[in-house]
């Protein structure tokens, strides 16, 4: 079977807003970005623990962002990478990572953030560098219809 863990910053940020309130999270992001990342990491690790605790030995765990993505995000945003992030990354077990191509017309907006194609490219480059440094195989997922992408990913997962 498969288990999934959402490590997307928008998902984790929303959970933090629910826990601590919008104003507190916004201030923390602006005033102490390293503290913000550490708090996001706490929320992520709590979610990860719950999923891993319920997983069976043969389950494949799929991360929608993981610890290495946190490091890449910090580097792209020029936020210092904490010792805790490095420690968490050293204990992570990545067999491979799927890399999705950035769509030309990407523009993500919600009430907390706005990401354009240039920022997406900076984050993607940082992710590629981090995954390379940690010797994680990158599997490129080409742009194709959703049902084909799902089949493409399933085929690669069956080989792991």
């Amino acid at each position: 079977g498969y288990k999934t863990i959402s490590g997307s910053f928008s998902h984790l940020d929303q959970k933090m807003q629910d826990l601590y309130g919008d104003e507190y999270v916004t201030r923390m992001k602006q005033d102490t970005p390293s503290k913000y990342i550490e708090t996001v990491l706490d929320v992520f690790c709590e979610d990860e623990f719950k999923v891993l605790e319920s997983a069976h030995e043969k389950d494949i765990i799929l991360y929608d962002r993981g610890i290495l993505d946190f490091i890449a995000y910090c580097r792209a945003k020029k936020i210092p990478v904490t010792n805790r992030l490095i420690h968490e990354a050293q204990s992570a077990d990545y067999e491979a990572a799927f890399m999705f191509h950035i769509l030309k017309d990407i523009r993500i907006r919600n009430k907390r953030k706005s990401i354009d194609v240039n920022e997406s490219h900076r984050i993607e480059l940082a992710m590629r560098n981090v995954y390379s440094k940690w010797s994680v195989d990158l599997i490129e997922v080409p742009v194709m219809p959703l049902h084909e992408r799902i089949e493409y990913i399933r085929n690669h997962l069956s080989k792991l």
Side-chain angles (χ1 to χ4, degrees):
Y2 304 103
K3 298 281 185 178
T4 59
I5 299 170
S6 180
S8 74
F9 276 89
S10 57
H11 168 78
L12 296 170
D13 196 71
Q14 183 61 54
K15 286 187 85 168
M16 287 178 45
Q17 289 175 52
D18 296 344
L19 289 169
Y20 305 113
D22 185 53
E23 186 179 322
Y24 179 78
V25 172
T26 299
R27 251 192 355 264
M28 183 177 13
K29 239 181 182 177
Q30 293 169 350
D31 299 342
T32 54
S34 291
K35 180 179 178 185
Y36 170 76
I37 293 296
E38 288 287 317
T39 308
V40 169
L41 184 58
D42 289 340
V43 174
F44 172 80
C45 287
E46 183 179 306
D47 287 354
E48 180 186 41
F49 178 77
K50 288 175 187 173
V51 170
L52 294 176
E53 190 176 53
S54 69
H56 299 291
E57 185 177 317
K58 293 184 180 184
D59 282 343
I60 293 175
I61 309 298
L62 300 172
Y63 288 81
D64 173 12
R65 306 284 182 257
I67 297 298
L68 295 180
D69 299 301
F70 279 72
I71 292 172
Y73 180 85
C74 287
R75 291 198 173 139
K77 296 286 202 173
K78 297 184 178 11
I79 299 170
V81 175
T82 65
N83 289 335
R84 178 169 172 224
L85 266 176
I86 298 296
H87 175 74
E88 292 287 344
Q90 289 169 336
S91 66
D93 183 20
Y94 284 85
E95 288 187 42
F98 291 97
M99 182 64 74
F100 293 83
H101 295 279
I102 296 172
L103 302 176
K104 292 177 187 173
D105 60 350
I106 189 170
R107 183 172 216 59
I108 300 170
R109 287 189 180 279
N110 63 30
K111 73 178 194 169
R112 303 216 37 91
K113 70 178 181 178
S114 174
I115 297 177
D116 63 18
V117 71
N118 292 329
E119 184 173 9
S120 294
H121 281 294
R122 281 193 305 277
I123 293 169
E124 178 188 13
L125 180 60
M127 288 170 67
R128 288 180 181 283
N129 289 335
V130 168
Y131 279 107
S132 175
K133 179 182 177 192
W134 290 83
S135 301
V136 174
D137 291 332
L138 282 179
I139 301 167
E140 302 285 339
V141 179
V143 177
M144 58 178 67
L146 179 60
H147 69 280
E148 291 178 29
R149 273 188 282 163
I150 292 169
E151 194 57 36
Y152 183 87
I153 292 168
R154 281 187 177 147
N155 286 336
H156 278 79
L157 288 173
S158 69
K159 298 173 189 174
L160 295 178

